[in-house]
Amino acid sequence: MKELSVLELAEKGGWIMVVLAVLSVIAIYIFTERFIVIRNAGKGDKLFMDRIRDYVKNGDVTSAINFCRNTNTAYARIIERGITRMGRPVAEVQSAIENSGNLEVAEMERRLPVLATIAGGAPMIGFLGTVIGMVEAFWQMSNAGGNIDISLLSSGIYEAMVTTVGGLIVGIIALFGYNYLVAKVDGVVNEMEAKSMSFMDLLNEK
């Protein structure tokens, strides 16, 4: 029995497999790029707020701002925004922190909708390829009249099914990647909220 390689099987899927291959490359790129961005945004520093508290209580605002900039994380950037608003009403400081936090979340979630679209669209594109392949197979069968070649028909059917398999593979990988990144974003958001609350408590103490 002749063995069929994955590459040969993919070639039999036709132009639909090219589309799925492009989508898979886009999905991998988005996942990798967003993973790096989100990881950098959420780097942990357990002593961050202790250092900020010391700087603020000593009145060394410049050092606090420089420390935030050197830390260069999402929560450091929103705390920096709050520090620059110190001396103004607490409500204004809190509003500035919230606005900065919303911008940070929007930056982390950028391109994630594209990944979600690939996760949902790839299986549908694969199924479309299967339907097109089945139509072609039955069209060949109808043109053959009474001389139906079972091997030709079965070949056309399994070639059509290849696109469904390809679409499911791309969709499943993209879905798992999307959910993983969303969970990472949620973790960073929780860290931002915790640091923001600590900073607001510090202002109330001051």
Side-chain angles (χ1 to χ4, degrees):
M1 175 182 287
K2 180 182 177 181
E3 295 184 358
L4 192 63
S5 68
V6 175
L7 181 59
E8 290 175 337
L9 196 61
E11 290 176 351
K12 292 181 180 296
W15 63 271
I16 291 290
M17 295 300 292
V18 176
V19 176
L20 293 175
V22 172
L23 291 179
S24 66
V25 171
I26 295 174
I28 292 172
Y29 168 78
I30 292 175
F31 175 83
T32 304
E33 188 265 344
R34 288 292 92 191
F35 174 80
I36 295 173
V37 169
I38 296 169
R39 183 189 61 183
N40 291 337
K43 287 180 179 178
D45 183 357
K46 295 180 180 180
L47 300 178
F48 176 80
M49 286 308 302
D50 293 334
R51 296 280 299 275
I52 293 296
R53 183 175 288 104
D54 292 339
Y55 286 134
V56 171
K57 287 186 174 181
N58 293 330
D60 193 354
V61 176
T62 301
S63 296
I65 292 176
N66 290 334
F67 179 59
C68 289
R69 291 175 180 174
N70 291 333
T71 303
N72 194 28
T73 60
Y75 58 79
R77 286 188 286 270
I78 66 174
I79 296 302
E80 178 188 351
R81 182 65 63 86
I83 293 173
T84 59
R85 298 296 192 278
M86 286 176 56
R88 300 183 183 182
V90 175
E92 185 176 339
V93 177
Q94 185 172 2
S95 176
I97 290 177
E98 290 177 353
N99 291 336
S100 180
N102 291 335
L103 292 175
E104 292 293 337
V105 173
E107 171 60 26
M108 287 187 290
E109 291 181 341
R110 191 160 56 93
R111 297 195 182 98
L112 290 188
V114 178
L115 192 59
T117 301
I118 293 175
M124 297 178 66
I125 292 174
F127 182 66
L128 173 63
T130 295
V131 172
I132 293 174
M134 294 292 288
V135 169
E136 291 179 352
F138 283 105
W139 180 79
Q140 291 177 358
M141 184 174 64
S142 65
N143 287 340
N147 301 319
I148 300 177
D149 188 346
I150 299 299
S151 63
L152 179 61
L153 179 61
S154 61
S155 175
I157 292 175
Y158 89 75
E159 288 178 14
M161 297 299 293
V162 168
T163 59
T164 293
V165 175
L168 287 173
I169 292 174
V170 175
I172 290 171
I173 293 175
L175 179 62
F176 275 87
Y178 171 78
N179 287 333
Y180 176 79
L181 293 178
V182 168
K184 294 284 287 184
V185 170
D186 289 341
V188 177
V189 170
N190 291 335
E191 187 70 19
M192 289 165 52
E193 291 177 348
K195 294 290 193 297
S196 299
M197 291 177 63
S198 296
F199 181 73
M200 296 307 300
D201 291 338
L202 174 61
L203 291 184
N204 291 328
E205 292 175 7
K206 182 172 172 58

